[in-house]
Amino acid sequence: MKSPKTASDRDDSTPTSSSRRAFLGSAATLSALALAGCMGSDGSGAATDTPTSTSTPMPTEEPTTETEMETETETMPAVDPDVPVLNYALTLEHLENAFYRDGLAGFADDELMNASVLSGFGEQVRMDVPAYLAVVGEHEAAHVEALSATVEQLGGTPVEEAEYDFGYETPSEFLAVAQALENTGVAAYAGAAPAVHSTEVLSAAAGIHSVEARHAGFLNLVNGDSPFPNAVDEASSMQEVLEVAGQFVTSDTSGLSAQPETTTKPIARKQEGDVSDLGVLNYALTLEHLENAFYRDGLAEFADDELVSADVLSVFSEEVRANVPDHLATVGEHEAAHVTALTDVVEQLGGTPVEEAEYDFGYETPSEFFGVAQALENTGVAAYAGAAPTVTNDDIFAAAIGIHSVEARHAGFLNELNVSSPFPDGVDEAMTMAEVRGVASQFIVG
């Protein structure tokens, strides 16, 4: 089996099948629907307030009369502008839901546990894989249900599930496709989120986005790759994501019904009483200083062999434990990079970056260090989920969403090291600034 392409490595020269061409024809329709509510005239993804024009009617065997056109218009009232974005997300969630539903029905637990790609892991990790995959599948099903309900609440018609062929034959190939789908999902949500109008919808989307990142980090790990390959996750455009999805869709969806117009309203992420963008940036910088200092000082205090021998890691194989120090070093590098990036942006906007404080994290053993790391990373996920939807500047918002999902990848990894689920919920909950400061204040001593 050929490895599935992701949005970052697709090759436009690859020959396409007739079924894939049929999907891409419908993908163009989906893109037009989504772009009507998401894209500016420059195609950058920035929202505009320009009213959306209706598409040119397709020829039919009999001319459409003026009366019929009026009737059609009356029966298809304009819908909320978030409907196209939600249907785009629903298209991807249908894909993932069908993948796990059908794949997990096709492989027994012992087949998944004995997948060749897992041969380097000990019994603990291999035994966890089937149960974790089942949870991922439940999450995707819940996302389908939630997105469908929201589309209907906003006056739209939810896009339906297509037919798929994911091309895997073995458990290892199944895990590889899962990895590609989850990482594409992360990039898709990051690319679409700036176009969401409603702060309530955006908060929910951010909560799904970070869960997709937790899934992706886990699938990266079991496929032998870094759970968090970049300090900031990149976004993908709708065209890039639909190109990836087109590898798996076999049904002819060219008969999509005409799409309704969307109402026009501005994207207003900043609500009355919200802090300024500079305030949000310095709030995020406060947390990144905390995390940066935690890893910098903790990893200087504990030698690699002390970390590897931590009591909390005793359930894992020697191979898994041996990789932990390098993974933690990467997390530390990410937090340092976040500090540098946020500091630079605050200065570019004419602000004064908040400085690093003095901290006491209270750990004495490597296992306690892992426990505090888990708490900090999960708090970071909730903090970005709560603050990102209040950022006005699109560039700052996009960067915040990219950091948000990386924090989620970190959190999932630390959860697993602490022998808990990498992704405990189908939607990550947000925390207010006051709640996050309450957590952070436990560690700040000066």
Side-chain angles (χ1 to χ4, degrees), residues 33-87:
L33 166 63
L35 298 181
C38 300
M39 301 294 284
S41 60
D42 61 354
S44 64
T48 69
D49 294 336
T50 305
T52 305
S53 61
T54 56
S55 59
T56 303
M58 295 297 291
T60 59
E61 293 182 3
E62 296 182 6
T64 302
T65 67
E66 184 175 345
T67 302
E68 289 172 335
M69 291 178 66
E70 289 175 356
T71 302
E72 183 178 357
T73 301
E74 290 173 0
T75 58
M76 296 186 67
V79 298
D80 189 281
D82 283 337
V83 166
V85 192
L86 290 166
N87 261 332

Side-chain angles (χ1 to χ4, degrees), residues 317-378:
S317 68
E318 182 177 349
E319 291 84 354
V320 171
R321 288 185 282 112
N323 289 324
V324 168
D326 284 344
H327 285 319
L328 291 177
T330 298
V331 174
E333 291 167 2
H334 288 175
E335 308 303 359
H338 297 167
V339 167
T340 299
L342 290 169
T343 299
D344 289 345
V345 174
V346 170
E347 291 177 340
Q348 289 167 10
L349 295 178
T352 301
V354 65
E355 295 182 355
E356 181 178 313
E358 295 180 8
Y359 312 101
D360 182 357
F361 295 102
Y363 58 77
E364 295 181 357
T365 67
S367 290
E368 291 173 345
F369 175 79
F370 286 124
V372 177
Q374 178 185 20
L376 291 180
E377 294 294 346
N378 282 282

Side-chain angles (χ1 to χ4, degrees), residues 278-291 338-339 342 354 383-384 387 403 433:
L278 269 175
V280 175
L281 287 167
N282 264 328
Y283 164 69
L285 182 55
T286 299
L287 302 178
E288 296 293 351
H289 274 312
L290 185 98
E291 292 178 315
H338 297 167
V339 167
L342 290 169
V354 65
Y384 274 95
I403 294 176
M433 288 187 177

